[in-house]
Amino acid sequence: MKKIKWPLLAFAIGAAICMMGIGVAVAERSIFGVILAIIALIFVMGYGFKTKKKMREEGLL
């Protein structure tokens, strides 16, 4: 069994929370909330992919 990569798990959970935020904002009919959640999602996922690439280059994956 492989060890858990805690930083990548944290980014995955953060991205899921942002996606849930989009749903909540749509339900509340908040355009500002939707835009904010989408921007947060792009940031979290982008930083997560960047971290994964860095870990792969260092041989940690």
Side-chain angles (χ1 to χ4, degrees):
M1 188 170 183
K2 296 183 180 182
K3 292 185 178 180
I4 295 175
K5 307 296 188 231
W6 292 106
L8 299 180
L9 179 63
F11 286 124
I13 291 171
I17 290 170
C18 290
M19 289 179 203
M20 288 187 282
I22 294 170
V24 170
V26 167
E28 302 227 354
R29 296 182 180 171
S30 170
I31 299 296
F32 178 72
V34 171
I35 292 170
L36 186 66
I38 289 172
I39 290 171
L41 177 64
I42 291 169
F43 174 76
V44 169
M45 287 189 71
Y47 197 67
F49 283 128
K50 182 180 174 183
T51 302
K52 185 175 180 179
K53 180 182 176 187
K54 183 179 175 185
M55 290 175 74
R56 185 178 293 135
E57 289 172 351
E58 293 175 356
L60 298 174
L61 288 181

